Amino acid sequence: MNSFEFLNLKPGKAICYSGFRDGQFPGGDSPTYEQIKEDLLLLCNNWSYLRLYDCDEHARKVFEVIKNENLHFKVMLGAHLDAEMNNSNCPWGIERTEEILFRNKLKNELNIQKLINYNNLYSEYIFSLSVGNEACVDWTDHYVPVERVISFSKEVKSKTNKPVTFCENYVPWLYNLDGLVKELDFISIHTYPVWEYKHITEALDYTKQNFYAVAEKHPNKPIVITEAGWTTKANGKGINFENVNEGYQRIYFNELMDWTISHNILTFYFEAFDEKWKGSPELWEPEKHWGLFRADRTPKTAVNSHITSRMN
């Protein structure tokens, strides 16, 4: 069964949405209702499914806009998990005290409760729930033991009526998440060829390799791609300068959409808008430039030729 059939969804395009604009960031100022409305009206004619990362004020406003403006979006809602263990494999080496790690555990339990509560409040707009994002991969700066994620999955499944997943890089699904897979309704993978020094000519084939490797490992679980994208800037740290530009993003976006649509693979493109708060302060920090739209909401080459907008 393909992922659309399993989730009882009509085939359609999906995108990761985080609406934080210049000067805004998670834990600080969040977008206003009108800013989120502007974003969703820009996206609604071309995408049917949104992925949200946390049960915060930003997400609440997204649901209010969808409700009040009568938009057709269905949402995969996630809970943010903070580090419960230090990870010596993290390249940027964040170390936390035992006190902070303990507080994070309590915060994570609260965030899982928020996920359950948000589902109760906005159930008609939600089609699935994720109990975390990139918290088990070996390079993460917010590592959470697999046993804890399993516990969170069981709790959410017992208290909601939605399919439950966990969003993670494709690699851990191949080696150390078998126990978690048993508890999930479907698997959600991330694939970023450009982060693994692949040229655009290799990109789609590499994404296919990632997807089918996980599918072969777990043949009885539906698989969703919850992140796949191509940044348009690089500072030379982890991504080669010559591998990124708007033209390459357009190629990857078009090829990825053609393949996943033809094979009925629900795929959330990463991401809708550039976000300047992300990553290092460097102007060409790649984390700031994954959007199909720039931070000022003008479209990049990938969508400029065929994007349509809904006017008020």
Side-chain angles (χ1 to χ4, degrees), residues 1-7 9-15 47 49 76 127 186-191 204 207-215 221-228 255-269:
M1 179 183 295
N2 69 53
S3 51
F4 285 105
E5 290 177 345
F6 174 78
L7 293 166
L9 300 175
K10 296 179 180 179
K13 290 182 180 179
I15 197 160
W47 287 275
Y49 305 107
M76 174 188 283
F127 72 86
F186 64 99
I187 294 169
S188 294
I189 71 169
H190 299 173
T191 170
L204 184 64
T207 292
K208 290 180 180 180
Q209 290 173 25
N210 298 165
F211 179 88
Y212 289 120
V214 177
K221 289 287 181 176
I223 300 174
V224 170
I225 299 175
T226 40
E227 288 185 25
E255 290 184 349
L256 180 71
M257 291 299 100
D258 288 346
W259 168 58
T260 56
I261 290 171
S262 66
H263 287 75
N264 286 316
I265 302 168
L266 176 58
T267 298
F268 288 83
Y269 192 83

Side-chain angles (χ1 to χ4, degrees), residues 100-311:
I100 290 175
L101 294 174
F102 178 73
R103 289 206 303 265
N104 285 350
K105 291 178 182 179
L106 299 179
K107 188 188 301 181
N108 289 345
E109 292 168 3
L110 178 61
N111 285 344
I112 292 298
Q113 288 303 313
K114 286 182 178 179
L115 182 66
I116 294 166
N117 293 340
Y118 265 57
N119 178 69
N120 293 336
L121 288 171
Y122 304 110
S123 182
E124 65 183 291
Y125 309 111
I126 296 170
F127 72 86
S128 65
L129 302 168
S130 171
V131 293
N133 180 66
E134 293 183 348
C136 293
V137 66
D138 61 2
W139 44 256
T140 187
D141 64 1
H142 53 283
Y143 186 81
V144 177
V146 177
E147 293 75 17
R148 283 280 281 177
V149 181
I150 290 173
S151 175
F152 293 150
S153 302
K154 289 180 177 180
E155 182 175 6
V156 173
K157 286 185 69 174
S158 70
K159 296 179 179 178
T160 71
N161 60 351
K162 296 295 193 304
V164 175
T165 191
F166 174 67
C167 300
E168 185 55 275
N169 178 271
Y170 73 93
V171 175
W173 297 111
L174 301 175
Y175 301 107
N176 65 342
L177 297 183
D178 289 3
L180 176 59
V181 169
K182 293 177 183 178
E183 300 299 332
L184 298 176
D185 294 300
F186 64 99
I187 294 169
S188 294
I189 71 169
H190 299 173
T191 170
Y192 287 106
V194 70
W195 270 123
E196 299 190 55
Y197 298 99
K198 301 301 179 184
H199 189 265
I200 190 61
T201 57
E202 309 169 278
L204 184 64
D205 284 344
Y206 194 69
T207 292
K208 290 180 180 180
Q209 290 173 25
N210 298 165
F211 179 88
Y212 289 120
V214 177
E216 183 176 351
K217 172 74 173 178
H218 305 288
N220 297 318
K221 289 287 181 176
I223 300 174
V224 170
I225 299 175
T226 40
E227 288 185 25
W230 203 272
T231 188
T232 54
K233 300 286 185 183
N235 57 7
K237 300 174 183 178
I239 295 178
N240 293 334
F241 292 109
E242 62 269 21
N243 280 351
V244 297
N245 56 56
E246 289 192 22
Y248 285 172
Q249 184 189 59
R250 176 180 55 82
I251 291 171
Y252 185 67
F253 174 71
N254 288 337
E255 290 184 349
L256 180 71
M257 291 299 100
D258 288 346
W259 168 58
T260 56
I261 290 171
S262 66
H263 287 75
N264 286 316
I265 302 168
L266 176 58
T267 298
F268 288 83
Y269 192 83
F270 186 85
E271 64 180 324
F273 302 99
D274 284 352
E275 295 183 86
K276 292 184 179 179
W277 68 269
K278 289 185 172 180
S280 72
E282 296 182 36
L283 184 62
W284 281 22
E285 159 68 52
E287 293 289 1
K288 301 180 187 298
H289 299 284
W290 292 90
L292 292 174
F293 296 83
R294 303 176 189 90
D296 65 2
R297 275 46 189 171
T298 56
K300 296 183 185 177
T301 304
V303 292
N304 188 49
S305 61
H306 58 83
I307 191 70
T308 58
S309 60
R310 173 175 166 177
M311 305 303 291

Side-chain angles (χ1 to χ4, degrees), residues 25-48:
F25 56 90
D29 290 339
S30 66
T32 66
Y33 181 98
E34 289 301 321
Q35 288 173 330
I36 291 174
K37 176 181 174 182
E38 177 187 5
D39 289 349
L40 298 192
L41 291 178
L42 186 61
L43 298 175
C44 70
N45 283 353
N46 292 276
W47 287 275
S48 300

